Amino acid sequence: MKRILFGLFILLAMKRTILSVFILFGFALFASIADATSHEFFKGKTVRLVVGTSAGGAQDEWARFLAPHLGRNIPGGPDIVVQNMPGAGTVIAANHIFTLAKPDGLTLGLVNPAIYIDQLIGAKEVKFDWPKLSWIGSPERIDQVLFIRTDFPQKTLDELRKAPEPPRCAATGRSGAGYFLPKLLEEGIGLKVQMVVGYGGGGDMNLAMEKGEVQCRAGTVSAYVGREPTRTWMNTGFVRALVQSGTKRYAKLPDVPTIYELMETYKTPDATKRVAKVLLSSGDVGRPFFGPPGMAADRLKILRDAFTKTMNDEALLAEAKKKKWDLDPLGGEELEALAREIMVQPPEVIERVKKVLGN
């Protein structure tokens, strides 16, 4: 009897082992099929990359530069088509992606990295929730530089503080670093500026400077020293740089002071310095590529991995070197963490931000 019971016990144990093996095999097979299906999803598809600025500016140039390389590194090799959707400092594009685009990975976005401020201060036109976007990556961290035409009568910062008629400075909207930097200088050191907003992008603002509609604007330091027309403008003396937004001076602009240096020189109150930190943190966000909220984890991982691979792609690096563009990439996970962190601000700081921006 004992032998029979022992035999039955052994048989039952074997059946359980075999069943466990089959279950594990089934899970592995399912995962393998799911992974293969996910990787095949992009094959033969077209990805739309919505850029929140008009054609011709640095944001648009980055989108068109990265699109073919990113498409090549996404499994299935989809085509990536750039679509410009300018307006409201890129808020229109962000709203479109957040509210209308399907979270399937076939619609991506690239917008002004500072529009989180619009959400932070409760702007009614905002329909997006910054931390909930599906963050993919950024090719560079960006600091700003404020530059002015050299034929403007007042030359130095001290002269500009006392200018009888302030220079007209261009910006896409009130939610970009190109607007924040001049306003912070106005608040922090008493620089006089007249902001002119509503331009579609860098290309439009450069044209306005050439025509004399405006005399100054802020743009990214990398674009200022490395792209046309500002690269030529520097060399011919058409413009000069006044101040940059980074915590340290950009290597290619060693003689241009940072806003933080100026705030120390002019003894700017600590409250304004805290506001500057909030407003200028967009430089760390850089040029954020993202998708709609709610994207499946495996689909988002594919896009993040492809972006990271693209940033190390020999063909892209060679082309960037030829263009004299500097890469300083940030991964999707880092962008996601930064997006969450930046939106947590005490009420008193938010109220101070509103005051600086004139809200």
Side-chain angles (χ1 to χ4, degrees), residues 148-151 231-240:
I148 190 169
R149 286 178 55 139
T150 53
D151 59 3
R231 181 165 53 191
T232 295
W233 289 356
M234 286 174 58
N235 294 332
T236 59
F238 180 67
V239 297
R240 69 179 184 279

Side-chain angles (χ1 to χ4, degrees), residues 244-264:
Q244 48 190 313
S245 68
T247 54
K248 61 182 181 179
R249 298 187 183 192
Y250 190 64
K252 295 178 182 178
L253 294 174
D255 299 323
V256 181
T258 72
I259 186 172
Y260 299 101
E261 293 173 32
L262 294 176
M263 287 193 294
E264 289 298 322

